[in-house]
Amino acid sequence: MPELRVAIYPGSFDPITNGHLDLIERASKQFDELIVAALQHDSKRATFSLEERLELVRDAVAPFANVTVDSFDGLLVDFAREKGAKLILRGIRAISDYEYELQMALMNRKLEPSVETIFMLPSARYSYLSSRLVKEVASHGGDITSLVPPCVAERLRAIQR
Ligand code: ADP
């Protein structure tokens, strides 16, 4: 039987945006299984707790049957090994993402040569979108309903009150 193509999509997801979701939808068609994995250790710097971030991701990815949600701490390659995943998925929005992503991908390759990092591009309409920017716009009362899933828009509105 051919090996299942399991990919891990790691990130802070603080909170998940339509840019992340666009990538998840594309990737769900390319891999047998996609594990969206939220970084635990960002919790202190994050706006949302790990539990909240996971809840919002779970809600947003519910329509995709082969997408699961998990969290990890420590080395991503250790988590990949634990999950039997040979692929790491990352998004590249603009050239500004490239240098950081290159460093991480090459370091992960050094640590675990059998794991491959795959980059995908979101739809151009999400290429300017980041969790940080969405939070900033929301904090000033801007309309973010077309930028994030409904559950996130609701939560962001609630914390502004
Ligand atoms: P990190 O804090 O590790 O950058 P993020 O949750 O911000 O985690 O992002 C996780 C991954 O998703 C990264 O590869 C990032 O480049 C990608 N990403 C973030 N926003 C978008 C977007 N709007 N379109 C495509 N990819 C994105």
Side-chain angles (χ1 to χ4, degrees), residues 58-80:
R58 278 200 193 97
D59 194 293
V61 306
F64 308 109
N66 61 343
V67 178
T68 56
V69 182
D70 211 330
S71 64
F72 74 104
D73 217 353
L75 289 178
L76 177 59
V77 289
D78 289 339
F79 180 68

Side-chain angles (χ1 to χ4, degrees), residues 33-106:
E33 196 186 326
L34 182 69
I35 304 169
V36 181
L39 253 170
Q40 272 171 36
H41 76 228
D42 263 17
S43 294
K44 281 190 216 94
R45 276 189 297 137
T47 305
F48 294 97
S49 70
L50 177 66
E51 289 67 32
E52 285 174 308
R53 287 183 280 137
L54 288 173
E55 187 192 322
L56 294 171
V57 175
R58 278 200 193 97
D59 194 293
V61 306
F64 308 109
N66 61 343
V67 178
T68 56
V69 182
D70 211 330
S71 64
F72 74 104
D73 217 353
L75 289 178
L76 177 59
V77 289
D78 289 339
F79 180 68
R81 246 182 245 128
E82 193 186 302
K83 293 288 166 183
K86 293 284 181 207
L87 303 168
I88 292 171
L89 171 70
R90 295 287 289 179
I92 300 256
R93 286 162 288 194
I95 196 72
S96 49
D97 280 336
Y98 178 75
E99 211 150 60
Y100 174 65
E101 294 295 338
L102 175 76
Q103 282 186 358
M104 280 214 306
L106 292 179

